[in-house]
Structures are given as C-alpha cells and as structure tokens.
Amino acid sequence: MTDVIWVTGASKGIGRALAIELASRGAVVVASARSADELDKLSQEASNLKGSIEGYALDVTDLAAVTDAVGAIENQHGTIKTAILNAGTHQPVEPAKFAVDDMRKLYELNVFGTANCVEAVLKPYLQRNSGRLAIVASVAGYGGLPTSAYYGSSKAALINLAETLRLDLAKTDIVVQCINPGFVKTPLTDKNEFPMPFLIEAEVAAKRIADGLETGRFEIAFPRPFIAVMKLLGLLPYSLYFWAISRQTGSARS
C-alpha cells in the first residue's frame, strides 16, 4: 500500500505551503484542517504536481474524530509514514486582558490537539515499529516573548513533549522530530505588533522543513541566524535576557 504523509493544520500558512512542497517532491499527502472548502482548493492546486494532496476535514481537538481519521486515512489512502502535527493558533495577549478561558482554548488546539494526534498515530506506529512523528512548535517556545503568554508557553510544552518522545522511543525505529520555525509570514504572525527579525515566507519555511525531515535530525529550526541568536539569549542570565528581548521588541521602558 502507498505510504502517505499526513499534515494537520494544512488549510493555510506553513501547513498549506508544506503540503504543496511535499506533493511537488512526489509525496502522497493527506492534508487535514477544519475547512473542507480550503482543503478542496488545496487539492485542486496540487493537481499538476508530481505527487498528490488528498483533503480530510478534521477537528484535531476531537480525540475520537482524530482516532477515526487515522484509521480511515490508512484504509483509504495508505500507511501513514510521516505525521506532521502542525495545527495550531496564535493569540497575542496584553496583561490586562489575560484570561484563563482564552488560554485554555488555545491550549486545547495547540497542545491537546497535537496530543490527540500523537495518541492516535503512535498506536499503528508501535505495532509496525516504524514511522516518523514531526511536531511543529516554535522558537517562541525557547523563552518568554512579549504578548506571548498563551502561545509561547504552549510551544514550550510541545518542545518538551517532542524531546520526551524522542527519548522514550529511542529504542524503536520511530523517528521523532521537532520543528521550530522563527518568524514566518502567515495570517497568525500578521497579528504581531512588534518587530519580527528574519521574517521569511511560508514557501521558504516549507522547503526548510521538507529538507529537514529527510535528515532525521531531532530539531528542524530556521532561519539559522535567528535560531543562533535565540539560543545564545537563552544562555544569558535573566537580567540580560529580559533586557535584550525588551530592546529588540521595543517593549523596554523609555
């Protein structure tokens, strides 16, 4: 049976660009998102590519639906060789508007939506002792950033989840990878009101991810200059870290 690549959150942004990039390289891609209409448009756009894109409408916050989807995808399209868990959202928040209900809604998609997919796909992976699991987090998970209390902490959780799964599955043939993009121009980053250094287009990010998946290395992070800066900042004492981030983002006191 044909091996497929399953991409969640594929109706827009990085997920959409990645589905197209993978199909252009000859892959059979099953693209999931909540919008069936957007998935239909995506499938049509891929009609002349070397590979193909099949849409599968899905709300990843529904565990039962996700479990059914994994079974249906494998029955209808082929074995899921690679699962790229990309579904997520971003909501900047100022301290005066911090609300637990809003944070919970974001976590329901970013963290638990991803966890639902992990649970569903790990079962067949473990049975076959093979598969690739790529979790899309963000450099925002490296450390605190202004107005990123919801989003950044959710991505930090995903990085930790990916690290733990990599360790727990080290004795198997299941490959776990963590994708940490920097600032990528998407409808989500359009919400940011602070400077975004090294901003890249979604199509560029998709190529970097597709290339990184082939290496098998744990972290796929880009653009390199920004990643280097963020990792160096993470080594600083907090006083210097907060000063540097505040200066860069324009959130420092005047």
Side-chain angles (χ1 to χ4, degrees), residues 119-138:
E119 177 179 328
V121 83
L122 269 183
K123 292 178 181 178
Y125 275 14
L126 288 167
Q127 290 173 354
R128 294 191 291 263
N129 190 34
S130 68
R132 183 180 306 274
L133 182 63
I135 294 175
V136 179
S138 168

Side-chain angles (χ1 to χ4, degrees), residues 87-108:
T89 190
H90 172 43
Q91 180 183 348
V93 56
E94 298 289 346
K97 295 183 178 180
F98 187 97
V100 171
D101 284 345
D102 289 339
M103 186 174 187
R104 184 178 290 111
K105 289 176 184 176
L106 185 139
Y107 266 59
E108 196 62 44

